[in-house]
Amino acid sequence: MTPHRGRGARDVQIATSTPPRGGRSAHQAGNTALASSRATALIGTTLLVIGVALAAANLRPAVTSLASVLEQVRGSVGASHAWASALTALPALCFGAAGVLAPRLNRHFGLARAVGGALVLLTTGLALRVVDGAVVVLSGTLLACAGIALGNVLIPVVIKQSYPDRLGVVTGVYMGALAGGGALGAALTPSMADATGSWRLALGAWALLAAAAVVLWVAGARHADVVAAQPPPPRRSLLRNRLAWTVTVFFGLQALVAYVIMGWLPEVLIESGVDRTTAGLYLAICTLFGVPTGLFLPPLAVRMRSQSLLIAVLTLIGGLGIVGLLIAPGAAPLAWTVLAGFGMGVFPLVITVIALRTDHPADTASLSAMAQSLGYLLAACGPFLFGLLRGITGGWTASLVLVLVVTVIQAAVGYAAGRPRTV
């Protein structure tokens, strides 16, 4: 798979010169003007696509694997319920904070090294968190989530830069691998813990997958070429850009709803009469909807001039699932789960929208960092408020009404974010 000219041709055009070896070529060194108009870009090979997919498959198991054995881990290390609450809130908070660093790392080290460093950080955190007690588990998870946050921001930039004519297809591969990895983390970890008799071995095994991603990324990202590109736009803050804020709020609201569903759906279903094992299975089904939506929606969205209607319809379908849980949760729990899963399928669209609402990879990185850093901080409020309302009212009605209101607002904001324009 090689890059072609197309929508991204105004961003990156592959020159015919030979790739530099061991740094800048003699010709570049002797011609400052030419050097200033050239840079290096990762060549969009098939191996790089595989590297992107394997990296994406590692961006969720760190969270879902731990969630699936959380009570076992908490009891083993002698931690409190407050510690467990902090641990479950850590990913979203970390995603928001660490994502701010991604554009700086991109500028200073380049995409290949920045993504590679993120994967190394992830691998280190996954290995560290299983060697000791509560503090080490928390610290290792923090490192792993920091690596995930950087990958969340940087990998879409790789796709934007290296596959301008295959933006939808490669984004679909990325999103499908992301959802698949998360589902595997939740589904396989309890079985591995039972088979090995140790939650440490079960969680530590995911460090091996992350290490494999590091190796494959190094192999796939070593191919770069000299590119002739338009000069990057002057460095500017997007904080005063209305469209950037629209995309950011859209990202935050869909993440808020997704984190509420992933964190609380089993408890809602259990109180409606569903047994705990089946409730967990329903959550797995809900999560797995990210695989087909991740594979098929981005290519469809890229071919559409406006993504507004697709975003609004998918969001409102998810809202029907929330209505079902609110009115008659025990009547058709599988149906409500399926509808909620469709609604969570809007996540691949918001990632695609970040790329489509920008004209230059530098803007893609900036918008991705802004949307994910501020958006995840907004999302972290959702599970907390959902549980707080449950504790105050003694039921789920107020909590579900809150999520339903957020879903309606998300549909409106997402419709605006899907309109064809750029920051």
Side-chain angles (χ1 to χ4, degrees), residues 147-301:
I148 293 170
L150 296 174
N152 283 340
V153 175
L154 293 172
I155 293 178
V157 181
V158 174
I159 298 171
K160 170 81 170 182
Q161 183 187 74
S162 300
Y163 302 97
D165 276 355
R166 293 179 171 85
L167 183 62
V169 173
V170 180
T171 299
V173 171
Y174 166 72
M175 296 307 308
L178 194 73
L184 287 176
L188 297 182
T189 304
S191 299
M192 291 192 293
D194 291 339
T196 62
S198 170
W199 64 264
R200 296 183 189 275
L201 291 176
L203 289 180
W206 295 103
L208 299 177
L209 181 63
V214 173
V215 174
L216 195 57
W217 177 261
V218 170
R222 64 189 177 89
H223 299 291
D225 205 347
V226 176
V227 298
Q230 291 181 348
R235 291 177 57 182
R236 60 191 177 103
S237 172
L238 295 179
L239 294 177
R240 296 183 180 180
N241 187 288
R242 181 178 298 179
L243 176 56
W245 274 108
T246 301
V247 173
T248 297
V249 173
F250 174 37
F251 185 98
L253 293 178
Q254 62 80 31
L256 186 155
V257 174
Y259 273 88
V260 166
I261 291 174
M262 288 188 289
W264 290 102
L265 178 62
E267 295 300 320
V268 174
L269 293 176
I270 288 169
E271 291 198 15
S272 71
V274 178
D275 65 89
R276 185 171 294 277
T277 300
T278 304
L281 177 61
Y282 284 172
L283 178 59
I285 292 172
C286 186
T287 304
L288 281 173
F289 266 90
V291 176
T293 56
L295 288 173
F296 297 113
L297 286 184
L300 174 64

Side-chain angles (χ1 to χ4, degrees), residues 1 41-54 111-112 115 119 158 162-163 212-225:
M1 186 178 293
L42 299 179
I43 295 177
T45 62
T46 301
L47 186 59
L48 183 62
V49 172
I50 297 173
V52 165
L54 189 54
L111 275 175
V115 174
L119 292 174
V158 174
S162 300
Y163 302 97
V214 173
V215 174
L216 195 57
W217 177 261
V218 170
R222 64 189 177 89
H223 299 291
D225 205 347

